[in-house]
Amino acid sequence: MSIKNVVVAGSGVLGFQIAVQCAYFGYKVMVYDVNDEALSKAKNRFDVLAEEYKNYLKADEEKIQNTKNNLTYSTDLKASLQDADLLIEAVPESIDIKKDFWEKASEHAPEKTIFASNSSTLLPSRLSTFTDRPEKFIHLHFANHIMVRNMAEIMGSDQTDPTVYNEIVEFAKSIAMLPVELKKEKSGYVLNSLLIPLLVAGLALWANDVADPATIDKTWRIATGAPFGPMAILDLNGMNTNYNILKEISGELTQKIAEKLKTELIDKGKLGQQSGEGFYKYPDPEWQSKDFLKA
């Protein structure tokens, strides 16, 4: 496999997890974002993630230090991409933002660089039109809490070179992911095709004042045995991500939900776990209480 140097564009919750996972398994990783403030926030999350690697993967201090040493940071896209073998894009789920990013990346990335998007809902055939290499464009989609929910959905377009597809499958395996290989393009892949209807249903119950977030989550968890309810998952995703996904789904109901999400949570700085409050307050949310599912 030719991939050695990885660039992760977007240092948000999931983007930084992707970067740390790659660094943990020995890749040299450049974390790119548009400003120093975003990168500073990412760096501050490293120690929190390190504890999770110690807990879940039994990582020792030497492994954690090697991981940290494999990470570098930059706000200069051209410099970040100068020796990139693989670029993983994890910028906000907005077609305009992604279009602008991929057009700029195409200007600066060397010919060898494989382009991969972590887009949740957009198709590779749509995003690849903004690049100079549709044959090297693919989607590589991760689930939040990557070191535990270690699956990577891999989806190409009909223009994706099969060799590139196979190389990304091998790359996913090399960072301890279970490759979920899609046979054709599908908005939402496998995971979000199942998950997004659940999240939208939970949001609809909340937006229409049918039930509060805790009641929604308790109902789902007690009835199904699931470890998370939809409202807790929305907090983990981050409200900006939820909002951007909703805006891509046509329909009067989803647009109503998106507007309420913006005015009642996002505009008030309640962005989910990352900001300390969303539908629940963190670091000790009600849904994690041992008494949450009790009568």
Side-chain angles (χ1 to χ4, degrees), residues 66-213:
N66 287 341
T67 301
K68 194 170 188 177
N69 292 342
N70 282 336
L71 293 164
T72 52
Y73 303 83
S74 178
T75 58
D76 185 332
L77 183 60
K78 182 178 181 179
S80 298
L81 292 172
Q82 62 182 352
D83 196 29
D85 298 310
L86 172 63
L87 166 59
I88 303 174
E89 169 265 305
V91 306
E93 193 74 353
S94 160
I95 189 67
D96 293 333
I97 293 173
K98 290 187 186 292
K99 178 177 185 292
D100 179 68
F101 173 79
W102 283 117
E103 288 176 346
K104 290 177 179 176
S106 295
E107 290 179 21
H108 302 307
E111 184 180 346
K112 68 174 182 174
T113 309
I114 295 172
F115 285 174
S117 176
N118 183 57
S119 175
S120 299
T121 56
L122 301 169
L123 295 176
S125 59
R126 187 178 187 190
L127 294 183
S128 67
T129 61
F130 307 136
T131 78
D132 62 346
R133 62 197 76 186
E135 75 285 353
K136 289 186 176 179
F137 193 92
I138 196 165
H139 278 198
L140 180 61
H141 182 250
F142 299 88
N144 193 25
H145 209 194
I146 183 174
M147 75 293 295
V148 179
R149 297 176 184 87
N150 61 320
M151 48 130 274
E153 296 178 292
I154 300 166
M155 175 168 65
S157 72
D158 57 7
Q159 295 186 70
T160 304
D161 186 332
T163 303
V164 170
Y165 189 102
N166 292 335
E167 185 156 14
I168 295 302
V169 169
E170 293 307 310
F171 171 77
K173 292 177 182 177
S174 76
I175 58 170
M177 296 291 106
L178 171 68
V180 178
E181 300 179 45
L182 276 75
K183 298 178 180 179
K184 59 193 291 188
E185 286 189 314
K186 171 68 174 70
S187 179
Y189 311 80
V190 176
L191 175 60
N192 282 328
S193 293
L194 298 168
L195 180 60
I196 288 177
L198 169 66
L199 301 184
V200 172
L203 283 167
L205 291 168
W206 164 75
N208 290 323
D209 299 318
V210 174
D212 60 63

